[in-house]
């Protein structure tokens, strides 16, 4: 395929350290070259180019990185060598959360770092374990921050979101933990608003290059590196927003572990690679999903269960709420609180059994195992999905759920003489009756939308926003997230 962009190479010059390459395609990590230039049309019709790369910067106390620029093309691509890896033993990581924390960023970090094998402690800086995040997702922490003060961590990473970043900044216990971490030569990181709102006033970015969410760059007293998606300088790693959170998390995995771990996770997350690059989206039998007449707001159900994939669930909820959809998170369990596949604790808004009389415009199922099986086995959810199909209203699923739920319930065969085209997590594709579109990251066939996995969840959710509200709305949300969507 054509690589677009200004190219730069970053080489790690310490010969005693193992070096490895990893890459991003449209903001996602892959195995070969960092390829991340993209452009989109603004509401004014102009083309805007966005770059995406992780840069390492040197200091006298650290090993040296040398930048070698290459000729400019459209967009840009970057190839860089990995930072020195720590040993592969289990790492201790602290992810603090607060009222107003950006839930996508927090959950992506927790999920990916736990996938890598880290022992991740989610700590609330509030007086209670439960917090309400920026898009009203209710999360339950493992500990209070006061209980973490004497623990030793290899990494502390701050999610963004407002006022969450301010509440993290104002936690004196958290400030002490991170400052002590820096003094002892261990890693710390922040994303979105948190680099400018927390790390900067704590004095932890002094003399370092960093990045943050575009709307907070004026608060960051640094003249360089602001436009980069992920920046590592010394012990600090910073990033821009929800749309860069996956590559940010994987950059931290690279530092804690090694390149091989990043490659393994990239495959499991279904991130774009040059070696296997299916179509981004396939759209068949275009059908209008929703009519926003008289100011009507689409009502969306996102059911969850024990074992649901938390990244997929939270990304879908967050993005649809950003679009101003009325999203109901429904539990199929006997309790509102569920434990997701990577042990993130999420509290649903309602029980699915109490929603049988509701008429949803869209129902979207997250994947994860055994979460998808538990969704499949819910009689109440089966009733809602059946009525959704018979009423010619939209529904969809991601990851394992298209095969485990929709296919099993004959919901990919309704209303037409042929089965609906769909995609799913690659390991479940053989269970689809029509596999002809299973290589695509997102498939929309009429009123049915499916997708492949955690690494496709943002583009999937934005595709649903586009069906409900139009392309301009989806593009504006993607831009605010710092995510490449076109």
């Amino acid at each position: 395929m054509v690589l677009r962009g200004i190219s730069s190479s970053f080489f790690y010059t310490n010969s005693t350290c193992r070096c490895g390459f990893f890459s991003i395609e449209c903001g996602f990590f892959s195995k070969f070259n960092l390829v991340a230039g993209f452009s989109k049309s603004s509401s004014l019709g102009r083309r805007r180019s966005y770059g995406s790369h992780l840069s390492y910067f040197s200091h006298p106390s650290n090993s040296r990185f040398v930048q070698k620029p290459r000729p400019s093309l459209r967009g840009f691509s970057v190839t860089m060598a990995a930072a020195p890896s720590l040993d592969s033993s289990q790492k201790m990581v602290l992810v603090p959360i607060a009222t107003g924390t950006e839930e996508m960023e927090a959950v992506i970090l927790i999920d990916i770092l736990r996938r890598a094998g880290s022992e991740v402690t989610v700590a609330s800086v509030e007086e209670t374990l439960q917090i309400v995040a920026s898009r009203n997702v209710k999360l339950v922490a493992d500990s209070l921050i006061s209980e973490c003060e004497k623990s030793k961590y290899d990494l502390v990473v701050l999610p963004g979101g407002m006022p969450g970043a301010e509440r993290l900044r104002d936690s004196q216990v958290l400030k002490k933990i991170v400052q002590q971490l820096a003094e002892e030569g261990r890693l710390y990181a922040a994303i979105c608003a948190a680099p400018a709102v927390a790390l900067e006033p704590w004095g932890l970015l002094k003399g370092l290059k960093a990045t943050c969410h575009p709307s907070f760059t004026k608060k960051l007293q640094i003249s360089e590196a602001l436009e980069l998606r992920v920046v590592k300088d010394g012990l600090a790693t910073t990033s821009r927003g929800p749309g860069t959170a996956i590559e940010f998390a994987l950059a931290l995995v690279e530092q804690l572990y090694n390149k091989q771990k990043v490659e393994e996770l990239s495959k499991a997350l279904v991130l774009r690679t040059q070696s296997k690059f299916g179509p981004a989206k396939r759209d068949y039998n275009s059908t209008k999903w929703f009519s926003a007449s008289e100011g009507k707001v689409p009502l969306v159900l996102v059911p969850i269960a024990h074992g649901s994939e938390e990244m997929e669930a939270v990304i879908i909820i967050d993005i649809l709420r950003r679009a101003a959809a009325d999203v109901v998170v429904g539990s199929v369990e006997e309790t509102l609180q569920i434990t997701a596949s990577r042990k993130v604790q999420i509290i649903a808004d309602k029980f699915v059994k109490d929603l049988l009389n509701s008429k949803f415009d869209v129902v979207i199922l997250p994947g994860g195992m055994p979460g998808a099986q538990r969704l499949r086995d819910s009689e109440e959810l089966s009733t809602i999905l059946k009525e959704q199909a018979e009423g010619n209203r939209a529904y969809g699923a991601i990851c394992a759920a298209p095969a485990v739920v929709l296919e099993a319930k004959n919901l990919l065969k309704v209303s037409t003489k042929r089965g609906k085209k769909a995609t799913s997590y690659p390991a479940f594709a053989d269970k689809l009756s029509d596999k002809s579109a299973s290589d695509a990251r997102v498939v929309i066939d009429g009123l049915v939308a499916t997708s492949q996995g955690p690494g496709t969840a943002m583009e999937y959710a934005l595709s649903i926003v586009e069906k409900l509200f139009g392309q301009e709305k989806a593009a504006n949300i993607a831009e605010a997230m710092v995510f490449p969507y076109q």
Side-chain angles (χ1 to χ4, degrees):
M1 70 178 288
V2 178
L3 306 184
R4 299 179 297 174
I6 300 168
S7 299
S8 299
S9 297
F10 294 81
F11 297 96
Y12 183 72
T13 60
N14 184 344
S15 61
T16 64
C17 292
R18 178 186 176 193
C19 295
F21 291 90
F22 61 95
S23 62
I24 299 174
E25 171 70 32
C26 295
F28 298 103
F29 276 72
S30 72
K31 300 178 182 177
F32 305 105
N33 293 317
L34 194 65
V35 184
F38 72 92
S39 62
K40 61 174 280 297
S41 297
S42 73
S43 58
L44 299 178
R46 294 175 299 170
R47 302 291 293 180
R48 299 180 181 177
S49 294
Y50 292 76
S52 167
H53 66 274
L54 166 62
S55 296
Y56 286 83
F57 296 94
S58 62
H59 286 270
S61 60
N62 298 329
S63 300
R64 184 166 55 91
F65 287 86
V66 180
Q67 179 177 354
K68 296 182 179 181
R70 295 191 296 199
S72 173
L73 302 171
R74 282 183 56 205
F76 69 79
S77 70
V78 174
T79 304
M80 43 72 65
S85 300
L86 303 179
D87 64 75
S88 59
S89 60
Q90 187 177 57
K91 304 301 178 183
M92 306 295 289
V93 178
L94 177 66
V95 180
I97 59 174
T99 299
T101 287
E102 214 304 315
E103 46 266 84
M104 270 195 283
E105 295 165 356
V107 169
I108 287 169
L109 287 164
I110 298 162
D111 187 315
I112 290 178
L113 287 164
R114 283 178 174 167
R115 284 172 181 260
S118 296
E119 183 175 329
V120 179
T121 299
V122 183
S124 167
V125 303
E126 307 295 346
E127 294 182 355
T128 61
L129 293 176
Q130 181 182 330
I131 66 99
V132 179
S134 60
R135 266 76 196 181
N136 292 316
V137 172
K138 294 182 279 290
L139 302 174
V140 180
D142 306 316
S143 306
L144 298 176
I145 193 66
S146 58
E147 299 169 337
C148 303
E149 191 170 3
K150 295 182 180 180
S151 298
K152 292 288 185 180
Y153 297 101
D154 299 289
L155 166 69
V156 177
V157 53
L158 279 59
M162 291 293 281
E166 293 174 330
R167 299 182 74 84
L168 297 183
R169 176 200 64 199
D170 295 340
S171 169
Q172 294 304 305
V173 175
L174 178 60
K175 177 181 177 181
K176 180 180 177 181
I177 290 172
V178 182
Q179 287 180 333
Q180 183 175 344
L181 200 75
E183 290 172 2
E184 295 174 355
R186 285 174 283 144
L187 302 173
Y188 57 94
I191 188 171
C192 194
V197 173
L199 295 188
E200 175 77 25
W202 288 347
L204 293 173
L205 295 179
K206 187 176 182 180
L208 301 179
K209 296 177 176 65
T211 191
C212 67
H213 192 273
S215 63
F216 285 86
T217 54
K218 291 183 180 179
K219 294 181 179 291
L220 202 59
Q221 303 301 311
I222 296 169
S223 60
E224 299 179 75
L226 291 175
E227 300 302 318
L228 307 180
R229 293 171 68 81
V230 178
V231 175
K232 181 189 184 301
D233 193 357
L235 300 170
T237 304
T238 53
S239 191
R240 307 205 83 191
T244 70
I246 291 179
E247 58 224 71
F248 176 56
L250 288 174
L252 298 175
V253 170
E254 176 90 10
Q255 294 171 66
L256 289 172
Y257 298 96
N258 51 48
K259 167 207 167 189
Q260 181 180 356
K261 183 77 74 174
V262 170
E263 292 178 347
E264 292 170 356
L265 290 174
S266 297
K267 182 177 180 181
L269 293 168
V270 199
L271 302 184
R272 292 176 184 244
T273 69
Q274 289 185 40
S275 60
K276 185 178 181 181
F277 185 77
K281 182 168 71 172
R282 285 180 170 163
D283 200 338
Y284 304 90
N285 305 302
S286 183
T287 304
K288 191 171 184 178
W289 276 27
F290 174 76
S291 179
S293 59
E294 299 180 358
K296 183 184 176 185
V297 174
L299 182 61
V300 181
L301 171 63
V302 179
I304 57 175
H306 293 312
S308 287
E309 215 302 315
E310 45 267 85
M311 268 199 285
E312 294 165 357
V314 170
I315 288 170
I316 291 165
I317 296 162
D318 187 316
I319 290 176
L320 288 171
R321 283 179 174 167
R322 284 171 180 259
D326 183 0
V327 180
V328 179
V329 183
S331 170
V332 301
E333 307 294 348
E334 294 299 317
T335 59
L336 289 175
Q337 183 171 323
I338 66 99
T339 302
S341 61
R342 266 76 198 179
K343 309 303 180 186
V344 171
Q345 306 287 322
I346 303 172
I347 299 178
D349 303 318
K350 296 183 179 181
F351 291 106
V352 166
K353 63 186 178 183
D354 294 333
L355 298 171
L356 289 172
N357 293 326
S358 299
K359 185 177 179 180
F360 293 98
D361 297 292
V362 187
V363 178
I364 301 294
L365 281 56
M369 294 291 280
Q373 293 171 325
R374 297 181 73 85
L375 296 182
R376 177 198 63 200
D377 295 341
S378 166
E379 294 182 5
E380 294 86 358
L381 181 58
S382 295
T383 298
I384 290 172
L385 287 169
K386 181 180 178 182
E387 291 177 355
Q388 201 73 10
E390 292 175 350
N392 292 318
R393 298 190 299 276
Y395 57 93
I398 187 171
C399 195
V404 173
V405 184
L406 300 188
E407 186 70 48
K409 299 291 183 181
N410 292 318
L411 291 169
L412 297 179
K413 300 177 181 179
V414 298
S415 303
T416 63
K417 294 180 180 179
R418 59 166 181 78
K420 292 287 184 181
K421 294 185 182 297
T423 190
S424 71
Y425 192 77
F428 289 86
D430 286 344
K431 296 181 181 294
L432 298 174
S433 54
D434 185 342
K435 305 174 186 62
S436 61
S438 62
D439 61 334
R441 296 172 64 78
V442 177
V443 174
I444 299 177
D445 190 349
L447 293 167
V448 180
T450 53
S451 191
Q452 290 187 315
T456 70
M458 289 190 193
E459 56 212 273
Y460 178 56
L462 288 165
S463 295
I464 294 169
V465 170
E466 185 172 340
K467 293 297 291 186
L468 291 172
F469 298 98
Q471 196 277 336
E472 183 178 348
K473 176 76 122 179
N476 288 340
I477 291 171
E479 183 174 16
M481 290 168 51
V482 200
F483 181 78
Y485 179 79
Q486 55 183 346

